[in-house]
Amino acid sequence: MFTSEPLTRDVTLSCPKIITNSLTLPSKAQIEIDDELATLKEMMRSLRTRRNSLSPISSIPPEILGVIFVHHVQQTQLVYAPDAPAVLSWLKIGHVCRHWREVALGTPELWATPFLISLQATEEMLSRSKMASLKLKTGRRFYMDCVQKTLMHIERLQEVSLPFFSNIFGSSTTHCCIQKFLDRLSSCSAPKLQSLCLEAGIKQTPRIAIPISFPAPNLRSLQIKNCDISWTSSVLTGLTVLGIKKLSPECLPTLDELISVLRRMPALHTLELEDALPTLPPQTISLPRAPRFMNIRLSHLRQLHLAAKMLEVANVLARIELQESTTEIRLVCEGFSGNPNRQWNLSRPIISRALKSCFKASPDKSRQVPRSIQLHSTTTSCIRLHSSTARNPSSWAGPKFGIDPDSLAEHSVTLEFDFPDEMRRTILCDLQRIVPLGNIEAMYFHFFFPCWDGFWTDVLGHGATRNLAYMHMHGPRQALEQLLKSLRSRKHSVSRHVNRRSQQRPIFAPALSHLVLYGLEFSSSVWNGIRPSDLLDVLIDRVNEGQGLDHLEFISTTGILARDVQLLREVVADVSWDEYESSIGEDFDLDDDSYDSNYFDPIHNYDFDSDYGYSS
């Protein structure tokens, strides 16, 4: 029977009340375990520290270890640009062990070059450097706030280098920053400042002017570019390094002003003047002469770089007595005005006299006689001549031959002449009067201007190559043709005729044993170009005269085949060939990646917190 009662009923279930916070609270047992783990961790850290202290390297006194760290940091800063993140790679020394970190934090000199891309890094490094002398160096990227923060410590600044780039910041910003620094330098003492390097934009207006005086009694190095300075300034006193580039015309010195400044720098060892020499009238026909006792003697000068017009360079050289201490000379004659032949004839004897001492060995053997010469010219109107005491400078050969003459061996002379095309032959033929070639053992040639009949004899002179043993040549076809003519023995030489009579001359380079032909071109045609068989005939000719080669090398030279090399090896004991037969039809993969000058990578994740817990 069915009833009317409902089929379901309400049921109420009850359970104990749960406190949610109790789930997150550790139990007493868990707390005890955590305490034991912390104790074990501390014991392990302590044991690792004790173990590290027993290592031999841990016996180095902290002050010596700090000196080692400072040397490492200095080497790192030489390798990387000031704005490169890798310049801070030395921070890893603080991750080695607790002892090393304590030494690093206790060595203020490590932190004396603030990293100007991070304000946090700059502030922390300024704090950790304590009262150590500071070095302010900017790269292509920096924060102006970081620079200003560092400039507030002007009393600690030892080195300031501000080569600002106008393509990164506006010219008004860079001008304002440099000017504020100079204004502050004029009103505040900078007792530690030893080196100052300032570079403004070439189109910077108004021009930055170096104060006539400022309280920096220890300043020893001044290098400025596109900035102006008065030659009566007390700043130009007692310097050991002076570099002035691109002065405005109204600030160029007179010859007497320049000599007066140099007399106030008896310890000067580096002098670089570019477009900062006294000017001469365009129609100058003679250079002013002064008694020799009035010339300036810089007994400590090691590097001399002068760049201006030909007569301006000669005018200054005539008043400087170069000493045996001078090991590097670079003369850049950027152009002629007026009569180029007259200016060259006026300048050549002065340059020759000035360089005479550079090609002599010093009595104490501290300077040796140059053993190698490089003639480099990739344009039709510029010749660069470089000498070195090394017989075969490694940077002169190879794919980058002639690219970077400034990175070559010490004790060098570099001459750069920019001249009208009609002056090329005259200057080349006079080079032997400027540079003595009698002791040269190795010569490197890299040029592409046209050659003339008798080129090598005119350039190198008669008998000047008596000690030449090594020759590296990269040039045009005419240079190879003229070289083969000169290399022939006296008996079979192709001599020029004078008054219809053939002149027999001394054999060219009788000591030549090593010949390198780089990037040249041989031809298989009888009527066009130089054939490998022509080279073979010349070498056979020299062998018959007892003047054969010991080594012959072909680098990126076309027209040489395997059969040619086989025949040459019957005449020359050592023939090196890179099997470069032809450049036609070869595929080269070009790397499209290039440096993006607008790329900016903000520096993060560098931890500069003072209480960072490093474990050993």
Side-chain angles (χ1 to χ4, degrees):
M1 177 183 296
F2 294 98
T3 65
S4 60
E5 296 181 358
L7 297 178
T8 61
R9 69 178 63 181
D10 295 333
V11 179
T12 303
L13 300 177
S14 62
C15 64
K17 186 176 181 181
I18 299 176
I19 301 176
T20 57
N21 291 339
S22 64
L23 295 176
T24 61
L25 296 177
S27 65
K28 182 178 180 181
Q30 289 175 319
I31 293 176
E32 292 176 351
I33 293 175
D34 290 341
D35 292 342
E36 290 183 20
L37 289 173
T39 301
L40 288 174
K41 184 177 181 180
E42 179 61 23
M43 290 178 60
M44 293 179 65
R45 187 204 62 77
S46 178
L47 288 172
R48 285 196 298 268
T49 299
R50 289 171 54 190
R51 186 180 187 279
N52 288 339
S53 66
L54 299 176
S55 301
I57 195 172
S58 297
S59 63
I60 300 177
E63 58 272 15
I64 296 180
L65 190 61
V67 172
I68 295 174
F69 289 168
V70 170
H71 179 74
H72 170 63
V73 171
Q74 291 173 344
Q75 294 301 310
T76 302
Q77 292 171 348
L78 290 175
V79 173
Y80 299 104
D83 58 341
V87 79
L88 293 180
S89 60
W90 62 267
L91 288 172
K92 295 178 181 178
I93 63 178
H95 294 248
V96 174
C97 65
R98 181 176 292 272
H99 174 57
W100 280 28
R101 174 166 173 77
E102 291 175 352
V103 172
L105 291 175
T107 307
E109 291 80 8
L110 291 180
W111 314 94
T113 306
F115 189 58
L116 303 176
I117 290 185
S118 167
L119 185 58
Q120 178 190 8
T122 299
E123 292 176 342
E124 187 62 31
M125 295 181 81
L126 288 173
S127 174
R128 293 183 182 184
S129 63
K130 298 179 182 179
M131 293 304 297
S133 300
L134 297 177
K135 296 181 180 179
L136 172 59
K137 300 179 179 180
T138 60
R140 295 187 64 87
R141 300 175 295 170
F142 61 90
Y143 289 148
M144 197 67 70
D145 290 342
C146 297
V147 174
Q148 297 287 13
K149 183 74 69 172
T150 306
L151 291 179
M152 293 176 62
H153 300 264
I154 192 169
E155 73 284 352
R156 295 170 52 196
L157 289 176
Q158 181 185 49
E159 180 179 345
V160 176
S161 179
L162 304 177
F164 288 170
F165 297 89
S166 59
N167 60 322
I168 302 297
F169 297 100
S171 58
S172 60
T173 304
T174 58
H175 179 274
C176 180
C177 186
I178 298 179
Q179 198 61 58
K180 283 185 177 180
F181 164 68
L182 292 176
D183 293 341
R184 186 172 179 84
L185 192 61
S186 300
S187 59
C188 300
S189 177
K192 294 186 176 182
L193 186 62
Q194 296 181 4
S195 176
L196 179 59
C197 178
L198 301 177
E199 179 180 350
I202 190 172
K203 297 181 179 180
Q204 184 68 57
T205 53
R207 300 266 300 189
I208 292 176
I210 307 299
I212 293 181
S213 64
F214 50 79
N218 291 311
L219 185 66
R220 294 296 176 265
S221 175
L222 177 64
Q223 296 176 305
I224 58 175
K225 184 175 182 180
N226 296 316
C227 301
D228 289 337
I229 189 170
S230 171
W231 291 87
T232 60
S233 172
S234 61
V235 178
L236 300 176
T237 303
L239 299 178
T240 58
V241 176
L242 176 62
I244 301 179
K245 298 181 179 181
K246 307 296 182 182
L247 280 179
S248 58
E250 59 272 15
C251 291
L252 292 174
T254 64
L255 184 58
D256 290 339
E257 287 177 333
L258 177 59
I259 298 301
S260 176
V261 164
L262 295 180
R263 293 189 189 280
R264 302 201 302 266
M265 304 177 187
L268 188 69
H269 63 72
T270 300
L271 176 61
E272 184 174 5
L273 301 175
E274 178 182 331
D275 293 336
L277 299 183
T279 59
L280 293 169
Q283 301 303 324
T284 299
I285 60 176
S286 64
L287 294 177
R289 292 186 177 184
R292 189 168 183 177
F293 70 88
M294 295 183 62
N295 291 346
I296 180 70
R297 292 176 178 268
L298 301 174
S299 58
H300 298 280
L301 188 66
R302 296 198 299 266
Q303 297 181 6
L304 174 64
H305 296 183
L306 301 178
K309 293 182 179 180
M310 175 70 72
L311 281 184
E312 296 171 357
V313 171
N315 189 34
V316 173
L317 273 180
R319 296 294 305 276
I320 299 178
E321 297 285 343
L322 296 181
Q323 306 298 305
E324 294 177 351
S325 61
T326 307
T327 58
E328 180 181 336
I329 297 180
R330 182 175 182 179
L331 306 179
V332 181
C333 303
E334 299 173 339
F336 294 82
S337 59
N339 188 322
N341 280 288
R342 178 188 300 160
Q343 295 183 32
W344 172 250
N345 291 331
L346 286 174
S347 304
R348 180 182 52 76
I350 297 175
I351 296 176
S352 179
R353 180 186 63 82
L355 299 182
K356 187 176 181 180
S357 61
C358 300
F359 291 95
K360 292 183 178 179
S362 58
D364 60 356
K365 303 299 182 182
S366 60
R367 182 177 62 208
Q368 302 175 359
V369 175
R371 302 174 62 194
S372 57
I373 290 286
Q374 180 198 51
L375 178 64
H376 177 259
S377 178
T378 55
T379 64
T380 58
S381 60
C382 181
I383 295 176
R384 178 180 298 148
L385 188 70
H386 194 95
S387 71
S388 172
T389 56
R391 184 178 184 271
N392 298 111
S394 58
S395 56
W396 285 15
K400 295 183 179 180
F401 169 64
I403 297 300
D404 189 11
D406 295 327
S407 63
L408 305 177
E410 297 181 355
H411 307 283
S412 61
V413 174
T414 301
L415 305 176
E416 296 186 29
F417 299 127
D418 192 356
F419 51 85
D421 289 344
E422 62 271 14
M423 285 292 298
R424 181 190 303 110
R425 182 165 181 169
T426 300
I427 292 178
L428 285 172
C429 292
D430 283 344
L431 286 181
Q432 56 185 293
R433 301 183 183 180
I434 297 177
V435 180
L437 302 177
N439 296 318
I440 299 300
E441 301 175 26
M443 292 187 177
Y444 295 73
F445 300 93
H446 183 195
F447 61 90
F448 297 100
F449 50 76
C451 300
W452 57 88
D453 187 26
F455 171 82
W456 295 103
T457 301
D458 289 344
V459 173
L460 302 181
H462 301 292
T465 57
R466 59 183 179 273
N467 293 319
L468 180 62
Y470 182 101
M471 187 172 182
H472 188 296
M473 194 184 75
H474 183 195
R477 180 182 58 82
Q478 298 97 324
L480 176 60
E481 179 182 356
Q482 291 300 318
L483 179 62
L484 293 186
K485 286 185 178 182
S486 297
L487 285 176
R488 288 187 179 274
S489 68
R490 184 186 300 108
K491 178 179 178 181
H492 299 94
S493 61
V494 180
S495 304
R496 287 175 294 177
H497 290 73
V498 178
N499 297 328
R500 299 183 180 182
R501 303 173 71 177
S502 178
Q503 291 186 338
Q504 194 175 72
R505 295 173 176 173
I507 189 170
F508 178 83
L512 186 65
S513 62
H514 194 131
L515 177 62
V516 179
L517 302 179
Y518 179 89
L520 295 174
E521 180 181 354
F522 286 86
S523 173
S524 59
S525 173
V526 179
W527 308 104
N528 185 22
I530 301 297
R531 298 172 298 169
S533 59
D534 296 328
L535 174 61
L536 179 63
D537 291 342
V538 171
L539 297 181
I540 293 176
D541 184 21
R542 288 182 68 94
V543 169
N544 292 334
E545 293 289 332
Q547 309 293 342
L549 294 181
D550 295 329
H551 181 84
L552 176 63
E553 184 174 0
F554 298 99
I555 303 175
S556 300
T557 296
T558 62
I560 295 292
L561 304 178
R563 63 177 180 269
D564 301 318
V565 175
Q566 186 68 26
L567 293 174
L568 289 169
R569 283 176 176 158
E570 297 179 4
V571 181
V572 181
D574 184 13
V575 178
S576 177
W577 177 47
D578 58 4
E579 300 185 7
Y580 186 92
E581 297 187 2
S582 175
S583 60
I584 301 176
E586 294 185 356
D587 294 328
F588 294 94
D589 294 330
L590 299 179
D591 186 0
D592 292 331
D593 292 339
S594 59
Y595 174 72
D596 184 1
S597 60
N598 296 319
Y599 173 73
F600 181 80
D601 183 15
I603 307 302
H604 297 296
N605 300 325
Y606 280 104
D607 199 323
F608 291 92
D609 296 335
S610 300
D611 291 333
Y612 192 91
Y614 285 89
S615 60
S616 298

